[in-house]
Amino acid sequence: MTLLIFLLLLFTAVPIALVLALTAIWYIGSSGNTVLFESYPQQLFGAIESYGLLAIPLFMLAGELMNEGGLTRRLIDLARILVGGFRGGLAYINLVANMMMAAIMGSAASQIAIMSRAMVPAMEKEGYDKSYSAAITAAGGLLSPIIPPSMLFVLFGVLAQVPIAEMFIAGIIPGLLMSLLFFLTISLMGLVHQYPKGEWPTRRQAWHFLLMGIPAGFIPLVIIGGILTGLATPTESAAMASLGALLIGKYVYKDLQFSHLFGIFKRTAINSGMVIMLIAAAGVFGWVIVFEQIPQNAAAWIAGQTSDPFVFLLMVVGILLLVGMVIDGIAALILVVPILLPIAQSQFGISPFQFGVVVCLTLVMGLLTPPVGAGLFIASSMTGASPMRIFRSLLPFLAATLITLVLLSWQGGLVTMLL
């Protein structure tokens, strides 16, 4: 009955945090072991009692301040200097700007929303198909959970008890690999779509874009540089990035007004509160899963299917692609890590960093795949393009992402190379 209650709540559009919390309550009540109710509040609080989780609202705040302060627009102009003159220049600018934003925001959904507003109208004005423009922007959002910083990496680090800074470093090579495959995808699609001819900025424009872009480029440098050099923890880097975005937006670009701050803080509080509530509820649900010895049973079943780490990771990818289609990535991560990570480490000797990168990237694909596909609907609502037309244009990018996942599952050294 617990499984039936879970599915009933899930498919009747009950918020996922309530689905997990209420299912746990139902399990405790139906088990007759009511003494577990005394541990329920403790498990709720224990799931979010982690210093590392402070990075989540701080990175959200940095993204909001950057968007409101005009830093996003300057990063897009900076990308024009690098790739704007190629045929289909705006498609490449979109991807390069998404790479820069991924090094700041850490949230795929937020990045898709911001970049859809910033890039799709400009691409449509220059002759690009609206659904294709939205697809490139949404695909760029897939870089957010793999190029550091990443909210999913923060959460995985807390769940797996591995250093979050090292988790960020593990995502650098996979992020660059996936970006390269996306560039190749855009190039090949250009043979079909016949992109408009790009235009290089004039020397005067290039100098202007560079000088105005340097302060905005300082933010990802602070985040990644601080973490790589060990001068700051991810949480401290997020706090410095938020302060930097505030000062640059207010005193350098002068686009940010103090009157905007209440709205920024309110949006950050609401969005981060939703995430924290989800983490707390999923922590209780994970406690129930462990209590039922589901990880041990799953380990016994999987061990009977294969002894090859590569095959195991491919099985995980296949299962999580289905899970990510119907369950939010954060909730799914909290549910699967306690079950699958011990199996990956003890049965197959897989590095937690390799496992974390593969799992996080697989789950975030669910943002762009029906039937739920929150990222698809965000891109659709921001651009007016049909979700299914965007999805059809996205298929080559999803294929490139699957190739990335196969390579990362096959060669764990791509993840641990910099560690």
Side-chain angles (χ1 to χ4, degrees), residues 293-303 339-340 343:
Q293 295 189 326
I294 291 176
Q296 294 89 327
N297 296 331
W301 181 82
I302 292 174
I339 297 173
L340 296 178
I343 302 171

Side-chain angles (χ1 to χ4, degrees), residues 207-294:
W207 274 111
H208 176 72
F209 291 160
L210 182 62
L211 289 175
M212 295 302 288
I214 286 175
F218 173 73
I219 303 299
L221 186 65
V222 164
I223 295 172
I224 297 177
I227 294 169
L228 286 178
T229 58
L231 294 176
T233 66
T235 303
E236 291 163 350
S237 294
M240 289 190 293
S242 298
L243 178 61
L246 172 63
L247 296 177
I248 292 169
K250 172 64 179 174
Y251 297 109
V252 178
Y253 299 144
K254 304 186 188 305
D255 288 352
L256 179 65
Q257 303 301 321
F258 285 131
S259 59
H260 299 162
L261 290 181
F262 177 77
I264 291 172
F265 292 149
K266 181 180 177 182
R267 289 193 298 273
T268 302
I270 291 172
N271 292 332
S272 58
M274 290 167 59
V275 172
I276 297 301
M277 178 61 190
L278 183 55
I279 293 170
V284 173
F285 191 81
W287 169 58
V288 167
I289 286 174
V290 172
F291 195 81
E292 273 292 283
Q293 295 189 326
I294 291 176

Side-chain angles (χ1 to χ4, degrees), residues 356-381:
V357 170
V358 169
V359 166
C360 291
L361 180 54
T362 304
L363 287 175
V364 84
M365 285 182 68
L367 273 176
L368 302 178
T369 50
V372 178
L376 277 180
F377 290 100
I378 290 171
S380 175
S381 66

Side-chain angles (χ1 to χ4, degrees), residues 298-369:
W301 181 82
I302 292 174
Q305 307 304 310
T306 182
S307 59
D308 188 332
F310 177 53
V311 174
F312 167 73
L313 283 175
L314 291 183
M315 290 172 61
V316 169
V317 168
I319 293 169
L320 295 188
L321 281 175
L322 298 176
V323 171
M325 288 180 183
V326 294
I327 299 180
D328 178 82
I330 291 175
L333 186 70
I334 299 171
L335 294 178
V336 302
V337 168
I339 297 173
L340 296 178
L341 180 60
I343 302 171
Q345 290 183 284
S346 62
Q347 300 274 348
F348 298 96
I350 296 171
S351 160
F353 300 104
Q354 180 189 8
F355 183 79
V357 170
V358 169
V359 166
C360 291
L361 180 54
T362 304
L363 287 175
V364 84
M365 285 182 68
L367 273 176
L368 302 178
T369 50

Side-chain angles (χ1 to χ4, degrees), residues 72-73 76 80 89-95 97-98 111-141 196 375-386 389-390 393-394:
T72 303
R73 188 170 72 253
I76 293 171
R80 290 181 185 274
L90 269 181
Y92 294 107
I93 289 170
N94 194 335
L95 185 56
N98 265 297
Q111 184 169 320
I112 291 170
I114 290 171
M115 295 303 293
S116 293
R117 289 197 300 266
M119 287 301 306
V120 175
M123 293 183 71
E124 194 177 2
K125 186 177 178 181
E126 292 200 15
Y128 291 83
D129 179 72
K130 182 188 290 186
S131 60
Y132 175 67
S133 304
I136 292 178
T137 308
L376 277 180
F377 290 100
I378 290 171
S380 175
S381 66
M382 294 294 171
T383 63
S386 159
R389 288 191 63 195
I390 296 174
S393 299
L394 262 172

